[in-house]
Amino acid sequence: MLKFSAIGLDHRHIYHLIGGLLDAGAECAGYWTGTTDPRVVEGVQERFPSLNAFDDRTALLEDPSVSVIVCAAVPAKRAEFAVEAMRAGKDVVVDKPGVTSFAQLEEVKRVAAETGRIFSICFSERFVVPAVEVARRLVEEGAIGDVIQTMGTGPHRLNKGIRPSWFFEADQYGGILVDIASHQIDQFLVFTGSKDAEIVHSHVGHFGDSTSADFQDFGEVLLSSGARRGYIRVDWFTPDGLPTWGDGRLVILGTKGTIELRKYLDIEGRPGTDHLFISDQQGTRYIDCSREPLTYFKHILADVQDRTETAMRQEHVYTVSRLALEAQATADKRRQV
């Protein structure tokens, strides 16, 4: 049985990294208690009470029985922890964004190549959403023909009162396009079957009245891959009245039909998550995807064992990261007037 440990308990996404690997059959050797947000550590203790806590991460890095390190540290620190883990002989699974600068991306690539270790980013809006698993299968089966365009939205609730200070510092979270839009860039490449893309236009802005003007609360990206196009909108404007953290959607336009995912709720409609709507030459239908098994964590364990790339190509990880960084670096920056 493969063992993993958790380092960097600064974001709540650590819960699905730990839980996903446990569900896939791995064993957790423990977690490092270092954090900028004690509530995240408390959440791990509540969800996984049997796991061992370590005050020194060195013990976890030097444990020869540990094969994988999972990390949801402050975004600007994730690459540093990943490099440390790879040099200790561990494969790495990090929360998105895995890097927040071009320099970090180049260092991660270099160290991964030198050590032969896996550097994987868990793009949770694909890998932890059953509806996306179903949509990918439908596209691969040709249900909507050739994909022409994707439109992905990633609205989030701000929850300002419970956010740590780094959450509002661009040099720590990487900017809204690096932080959030990497999800939608990943999905564009996957559903259009593209190995790379071009950032046609990107924009970031500040419109809210509860945060500093330096905080990016809105962003959009237009990207292309040959004749394929993708539009992305991300923001921090989910209203408190919505019963979940964000009404994330993905629309996939094909030559023979359209798929729309309502990932987290069907507003004023069906209860629960993972709603898929498809329209094609025969008509329209609805698919409840909530019971679809997730595959990423089982695949990453197989990749660690067999040194394969079934969960995600290593080059894909780097390409998504680079495109998000390019979109952020070239973004038109406008403020509310």
Side-chain angles (χ1 to χ4, degrees):
M1 180 182 294
L2 287 176
K3 284 188 178 182
F4 72 95
S5 59
I7 291 174
L9 276 63
D10 297 281
H11 195 291
R12 286 167 172 78
H13 284 174
I14 197 67
Y15 306 152
H16 62 237
L17 294 180
I18 294 174
L21 287 178
L22 290 174
D23 290 344
E27 178 183 344
C28 186
Y31 59 90
W32 176 45
T33 56
T35 185
T36 58
D37 189 348
R39 288 166 295 194
V40 176
V41 176
E42 292 170 2
V44 169
Q45 294 168 342
E46 291 171 0
R47 289 167 174 79
F48 314 104
S50 64
L51 300 187
N52 296 320
F54 291 77
D55 293 331
D56 181 5
R57 71 175 184 272
T58 304
L60 295 170
L61 291 169
E62 294 181 349
D63 185 342
S65 71
V66 171
S67 301
V68 181
I69 299 291
V70 297
C71 177
V74 175
K77 298 283 287 184
R78 290 172 189 171
E80 175 185 332
F81 287 149
V83 165
E84 181 181 51
M86 287 189 288
R87 285 180 172 152
K90 316 300 183 186
D91 293 316
V92 181
V93 177
V94 299
D95 180 31
K96 64 80 217 167
V99 299
T100 56
S101 72
F102 290 105
Q104 288 182 357
L105 176 58
E106 290 307 309
E107 184 180 22
V108 164
K109 290 170 66 175
R110 177 175 54 81
V111 173
E114 290 173 354
T115 62
R117 294 297 95 194
I118 296 169
F119 174 76
S120 187
I121 299 175
C122 180
F123 297 110
S124 56
E125 291 192 29
R126 175 159 68 99
F127 292 133
V128 189
V129 178
V132 182
E133 297 266 5
V134 176
R136 184 172 184 179
R137 185 170 65 248
L138 289 170
V139 169
E140 289 175 348
E141 293 171 351
I144 59 171
D146 294 331
V147 173
I148 302 168
Q149 187 210 36
T150 65
M151 291 191 298
T153 60
H156 286 62
R157 178 174 287 123
L158 184 60
N159 285 330
K160 181 182 177 182
I162 64 171
R163 300 290 186 180
S165 60
W166 60 260
F167 179 86
F168 301 97
E169 300 169 6
D171 63 334
Q172 296 299 304
Y173 70 84
I176 192 170
L177 301 182
V178 167
D179 182 34
I180 303 179
S182 56
H183 284 304
Q184 286 74 28
I185 293 172
D186 163 69
Q187 290 166 68
F188 168 80
L189 294 177
V190 168
F191 282 105
T192 61
S194 302
K195 292 185 178 180
D196 206 342
E198 173 190 0
I199 303 300
V200 177
H201 175 74
S202 57
H203 167 80
V204 297
H206 172 83
F207 295 91
D209 57 9
S210 64
T211 55
S212 165
D214 292 331
F215 180 67
Q216 298 167 9
D217 54 23
F218 177 86
E220 60 182 357
V221 181
L222 177 65
L223 66 166
S224 69
S225 174
R228 275 64 176 173
R229 293 280 172 152
Y231 174 74
I232 296 165
R233 191 207 81 213
V234 291
D235 66 78
W236 288 102
F237 290 109
T238 292
D240 290 342
L242 201 73
T244 188
W245 58 266
D247 183 12
R249 307 186 196 185
L250 174 64
V251 178
I252 308 165
L253 173 66
T255 55
K256 297 181 179 179
T258 302
I259 292 172
E260 179 178 357
L261 304 184
R262 300 294 295 266
K263 297 179 180 180
Y264 310 115
L265 83 163
D266 180 9
I267 189 169
E268 291 299 312
R270 300 166 181 83
T273 62
D274 295 284
H275 307 278
L276 186 151
F277 304 89
I278 181 170
S279 58
D280 56 22
Q281 307 299 336
Q282 285 70 48
T284 65
R285 65 186 188 276
Y286 166 79
I287 302 175
D288 177 359
C289 307
S290 59
R291 294 179 177 83
E292 181 73 14
L294 298 173
T295 61
Y296 169 75
F297 294 102
K298 288 185 178 180
H299 285 162
I300 198 68
L301 291 180
D303 291 340
V304 170
Q305 182 76 42
D306 303 329
R307 311 318 294 171
T308 50
E309 295 185 336
T310 62
M312 180 168 44
R313 290 182 304 106
Q314 184 66 78
E315 197 59 36
H316 176 84
V317 178
Y318 298 150
T319 299
V320 174
S321 299
R322 173 177 54 79
L323 289 172
L325 290 168
E326 288 177 358
Q328 188 70 53
T330 60
D332 171 40
K333 299 177 176 65
R334 297 183 184 180
R335 299 290 183 257
Q336 182 183 17
V337 294

